[in-house]
């Protein structure tokens, strides 16, 4: 996903709904957290989402990037596309996610590549999940739950 021809600080002047496809894609910081499996327990007010270190088999655990981004929906049945229309349904996105931050009218963090100009600042800031494992190697996901707020 190479981003070209973006206006500086477009996210400060445009709403999520006003952004074009290139701007929308550029909001992704590349942390890869949306590609890690979540474990849902409870219902209603007692419902809790647990994040795990279990990654989609397409995720490159070193780079945090999808190994086949253009074909991810045909290769993975449960891969879900985040869109302007379904963003409110993605309340499980991490609190550091640019989509969630902008949806909640909050600023991006200094380590975000759109601000730092460097995609490595996400990893340097400790935002990525470490010691990830691919789901094809897992029997019980709950053994890989990480204590992380969403």
């Amino acid at each position: 996903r190479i981003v070209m021809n973006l206006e500086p600080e477009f996210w400060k002047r445009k709403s999520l709904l006003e952004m074009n496809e290139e701007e929308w894609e550029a909001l992704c910081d590349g942390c890869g957290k949306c590609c890690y499996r979540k474990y849902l327990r409870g219902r209603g007010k007692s419902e809790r989402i647990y994040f795990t270190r279990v990654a989609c088999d397409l995720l490159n655990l070193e780079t945090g990037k999808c190994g086949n981004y253009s074909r991810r929906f045909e290769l993975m049945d449960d891969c879900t596309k985040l869109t302007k229309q379904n963003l409110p349904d993605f309340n499980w996105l991490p609190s550091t996610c640019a989509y969630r931050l902008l949806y909640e009218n909050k600023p991006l963090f200094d380590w975000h590549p759109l601000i730092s100009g460097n995609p490595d600042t996400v990893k340097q800031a400790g935002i990525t999940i470490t010691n990830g494992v691919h789901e094809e190697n897992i029997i019980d996901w709950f053994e890989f739950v990480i204590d992380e707020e969403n």
Side-chain angles (χ1 to χ4, degrees):
R1 296 182 291 180
I2 298 173
V3 179
M4 308 283 284
N5 303 319
L6 293 174
E7 293 180 32
E9 300 186 339
F10 66 88
W11 62 93
K12 291 182 178 179
R13 291 187 301 284
K14 290 185 172 185
S15 72
L16 289 167
L17 293 175
E18 295 170 326
M19 291 181 190
N20 63 38
E21 187 69 23
E22 188 176 30
E23 292 164 335
W24 180 263
E25 289 287 324
L27 289 178
C28 177
D29 60 31
C31 75
K33 288 182 179 178
C34 57
C35 299
Y36 282 84
R37 303 303 182 193
K38 287 92 185 148
Y39 183 81
L40 189 62
R41 182 179 251 176
R43 292 184 181 268
K45 290 184 180 183
S46 65
E47 183 177 275
R48 178 156 181 218
I49 297 173
Y50 294 89
F51 289 81
T52 74
R53 293 187 296 112
V54 180
C56 166
D57 291 333
L58 292 179
L59 186 69
N60 180 316
L61 299 175
E62 290 301 310
T63 66
K65 305 281 188 237
C66 181
N68 201 330
Y69 190 74
S70 62
R71 295 189 54 224
R72 66 194 185 280
F73 301 119
E74 49 183 289
L75 296 173
M76 302 306 287
D77 291 339
D78 58 352
C79 185
T80 307
K81 183 176 177 87
L82 178 65
T83 67
K84 298 170 189 177
Q85 291 71 36
N86 69 13
L87 180 58
D89 300 330
F90 281 70
N91 57 352
W92 52 263
L93 288 170
S95 60
T96 56
C97 178
Y99 299 101
R100 180 174 173 176
L101 288 168
L102 294 179
Y103 182 76
E104 295 174 351
N105 295 311
K106 296 176 182 175
L108 300 182
F109 290 96
D110 290 343
W111 49 258
H112 193 286
L114 287 173
I115 295 175
S116 70
N118 180 354
D120 294 334
T121 53
V122 178
K123 203 169 202 175
Q124 292 165 1
I127 304 305
T128 57
I129 293 176
T130 56
N131 301 317
V133 294
H134 283 120
E135 70 180 329
E136 67 184 356
N137 302 323
I138 301 304
I139 294 171
D140 183 4
W141 287 5
F142 206 71
E143 293 177 23
F144 295 88
V145 167
I146 53 177
D147 186 30
E148 183 168 320
E149 61 91 28
N150 63 353

